[in-house]
Amino acid sequence: MRKWVLIGLAGIFAGIIGWGGFNTALEATNQMAFCISCHEMRDTVYGEYQQSSHFLNPSGIRATCADCHVPRDWSHKLIRKMQASGEVFHWAIGSIDSPEKFEAKRHTLAVREWDRMRAGDSQECRNCHSFEAMAFHKQSIKAARAMRDAAKDGKTCIDCHKAIAHKMPDVTAHHRRMFTALSAIAAKTLPAVGDVVTGVESRPLSPTPHAPSEGQLMAGHAVRVVDVAEGFVKIDIGGWRRDGTQSVLYARQGKRITLAILEEPALARLRPGREVEDADTGQTWTETHLQAWVPAGGFLRDPQPLWDYADRMAEDNCTLCHVRRPAAAYLANDWVGHMNSMKRLTPLSDAEAGLLLTDLQRQAKDGEK
């Protein structure tokens, strides 16, 4: 009996030593000194963090790397440490061992961390910040309103507070590389008579090859090629005119999906068809066709890569302030207002925002079936 008691005590003692050693090692990897022990972190994000209010502030409270990037509860902390073993592997093979490599991956790394924090309802932020502890009367009116609205809308901290300790990544880099590749493919695509093609960007419309432009065909719309000559293609554009907006052709009746913007000479060459009274607004919409010449380069026979590009734009830009809304969450006309209000919060150009709007509208609740 005495022997088994000693063995049991020895086992308990060994377990305590082993558990304590494991926890000590685990906590050691939470220290800032460990986090910046490699130059990849020390020479990039650590310097940015030192310029933030989480490092130096009037109250003297400092949030360290682990406070923001490692959950405090045991189970999620262990899961996070296991995930980090993959990061150690990439460090070992030199995935980000130069400033250039790090910047090339910065957006991917940031999105991964944003998604992780969003999935955990920004618990790391809430360990120090909570709505219950906020003195809203000490905040600016704008800030207090934004915080309360965010809470009502179910937003989490990371939805609005990105890049508070580190530099904001270039969210346009990925989709603009995609567009460069698409443009190169479109430049080499030579449409033939009978082809249905889609422009990757807006195209000037002319009455004859080399003639001055009389309007613009918007990107993302399918048109049929009826003639080819001298590096130009003649296309047939079918759309709708709405009373009160005569210079705009829309892609679908009743939907403000801009297909083309026309000047007076082009308007005079339109071939009107049937008229329809819109059931919702009472406005008259007229089906119409226009044939015009455009430069041959800039079209794709298969539009799917263009929609993949638009989807990437949405993923990178529409998640800067909130969870991404599916296109089918709104009507096609509603997306116009949403895009007008949200574009200013993104780095999208007018052309990029226009194509993204077209993609959202075509997939809208009342979009293409």
Side-chain angles (χ1 to χ4, degrees), residues 103 106-107 168-174 176 347:
E103 287 302 323
R106 182 187 282 268
H107 186 210
M168 188 72 177
D170 180 4
V171 300
T172 67
H174 194 129
R176 286 179 179 169

Side-chain angles (χ1 to χ4, degrees), residues 161-342:
H161 295 282
K162 297 178 177 69
I164 57 173
H166 306 301
K167 186 175 75 173
M168 188 72 177
D170 180 4
V171 300
T172 67
H174 194 129
H175 73 254
R176 286 179 179 169
R177 285 197 299 269
M178 291 179 70
F179 182 75
T180 298
L182 276 178
S183 295
I185 295 172
K188 297 177 181 178
T189 301
L190 300 177
V193 173
D195 284 350
V196 175
V197 294
T198 303
V200 299
E201 55 188 327
S202 64
R203 310 297 292 160
L205 300 171
S206 304
T208 60
H210 305 292
S213 170
E214 295 180 349
Q216 293 284 324
L217 171 69
M218 298 297 103
H221 295 286
V223 293
R224 184 170 57 87
V225 177
V226 296
D227 200 358
V228 178
E230 305 174 29
F232 284 74
V233 293
K234 189 177 185 180
I235 57 174
D236 184 77
I237 306 168
W240 292 81
R241 296 176 77 188
R242 182 183 67 169
D243 281 353
T245 53
Q246 298 299 306
S247 64
V248 180
L249 284 188
Y250 295 102
R252 295 180 60 202
Q253 185 272 315
K255 314 303 177 198
R256 288 181 294 144
I257 307 173
T258 303
L259 169 62
I261 299 175
L262 306 177
E263 298 175 6
E264 286 298 330
L267 293 172
R269 295 190 294 107
L270 286 173
R271 304 196 313 272
R274 63 190 174 112
E275 293 185 350
V276 175
E277 182 178 303
D278 187 74
D280 295 326
T281 64
Q283 292 177 317
T284 300
W285 289 68
T286 304
E287 189 174 21
T288 187
H289 279 265
L290 172 71
Q291 291 193 351
W293 290 86
V294 298
F299 290 98
L300 298 174
R301 289 188 176 90
D302 178 10
Q304 188 54 49
L306 189 65
W307 305 136
D308 293 340
Y309 157 67
D311 182 72
R312 183 67 198 212
M313 272 199 291
E315 185 63 31
D316 291 347
N317 291 272
C318 298
T319 58
L320 289 176
C321 301
H322 54 73
V323 175
R324 182 178 172 184
R325 308 285 196 270
Y330 302 107
L331 300 174
N333 289 341
D334 292 340
W335 272 117
V336 178
H338 288 301
M339 181 60 72
N340 288 340
S341 63
M342 293 295 147

